[in-house]
Amino acid sequence: TIFAALAVSIETLRKEAFENKEITAEQYDTLQAMGKTDEEKERDELQKERDSPESVLSRLQIMAEKGVPRALVNLNKGCTTDTVKEQTLTCMVRMATQKAVRGKMIQSGCLSECIKISKVNKNDRNFSEIEKVVIRHAQHTIAKLLVTTNPALLTMSQRLGSICCLIELVKENESSDLQKF
């Protein structure tokens, strides 16, 4: 979704695109630079620097103020396709990286929705790769939301419901380096 793309810097998108590939982003850049003139190289460098962490934070704060977390929860509740769930949870993970928007995400229902998604019995059936990613993103969002949240501000069901989700995340052996604290 557009929300997932807005919630992250261009450089992070590039890193994610090259994750689990045979070539790294740096190697790709080197190959691309071989066929470019000096002016094209300078223009590319200027484009990389424009999307600063401050601009990402600013976008995330505006998204939180305009109700994007609630929209993501509503999209997730009403959707039947795993691809939409994956995109909404990708956006939630990206938004939860910023401390300034975590409170609004919890108030909007992101934490409760992620707990609901994470509480599936993995022994009941085999999950597709997208379903596994959705569950992992939900667990990771829970962890990021709770890392700076006072537990006394959460409801009893949120506190108790998040425990098993966090334990599952810790036990997960397929998580990427980006998902480790």
Side-chain angles (χ1 to χ4, degrees):
T1 65
I2 188 74
F3 296 138
L6 286 173
V8 70
S9 69
I10 295 170
E11 188 61 32
T12 304
L13 281 175
R14 283 180 43 82
K15 286 179 185 176
E16 289 176 2
F18 284 100
E19 194 174 88
N20 299 325
K21 302 286 191 253
E22 292 180 13
I23 188 170
T24 65
E26 292 79 18
Q27 291 170 333
Y28 179 79
D29 289 341
T30 304
L31 288 172
Q32 290 294 317
M34 288 180 185
K36 292 183 179 180
T37 64
D38 288 336
E39 291 114 15
E40 290 173 326
K41 290 177 188 177
E42 288 175 18
R43 187 186 70 228
D44 288 347
E45 283 300 316
L46 289 175
Q47 287 177 341
K48 284 182 186 177
E49 294 175 13
R50 272 194 265 162
D51 200 16
S52 67
E54 293 82 20
S55 64
V56 173
L57 177 60
S58 174
R59 284 195 307 262
L60 289 175
Q61 288 174 332
I62 291 169
M63 288 169 64
E65 289 170 10
K66 298 299 179 185
V68 170
R70 186 72 200 153
L72 293 172
V73 170
N74 290 337
L75 276 171
N76 217 21
K77 284 182 180 177
C79 78
T80 56
T81 62
D82 291 333
T83 308
V84 173
K85 284 185 178 185
E86 180 187 18
Q87 288 299 309
T88 58
L89 283 160
T90 298
C91 184
M92 284 186 198
V93 168
R94 291 174 177 170
M95 287 185 75
T97 59
Q98 296 299 327
K99 184 178 179 180
V101 299
R102 291 178 186 156
K104 289 191 188 260
M105 289 181 70
I106 292 172
Q107 290 172 351
S108 300
C110 291
L111 179 62
S112 298
E113 183 67 16
C114 288
I115 289 171
K116 188 175 81 174
I117 291 168
S118 297
K119 283 190 159 190
V120 293
N121 192 345
K122 292 187 178 181
N123 298 327
D124 284 351
R125 63 185 178 101
N126 291 331
F127 292 102
S128 69
E129 287 302 313
I130 292 179
E131 289 173 320
K132 289 178 184 177
V133 169
V134 166
I135 292 168
R136 193 175 312 125
H137 280 335
Q139 293 168 340
H140 199 219
T141 301
I142 293 167
K144 285 184 176 270
L145 288 174
L146 295 180
V147 75
T148 58
T149 302
N150 181 355
L153 299 176
L154 301 175
T155 64
M156 185 63 76
S157 63
Q158 288 174 326
R159 279 184 266 167
L160 294 176
S162 62
I163 293 170
C164 64
C165 302
L166 294 174
I167 290 172
E168 285 295 319
L169 180 64
V170 170
K171 287 198 276 186
E172 180 67 48
N173 59 1
E174 294 177 9
S175 64
S176 70
D177 290 336
L178 292 175
Q179 292 183 332
K180 293 187 171 117
F181 286 90

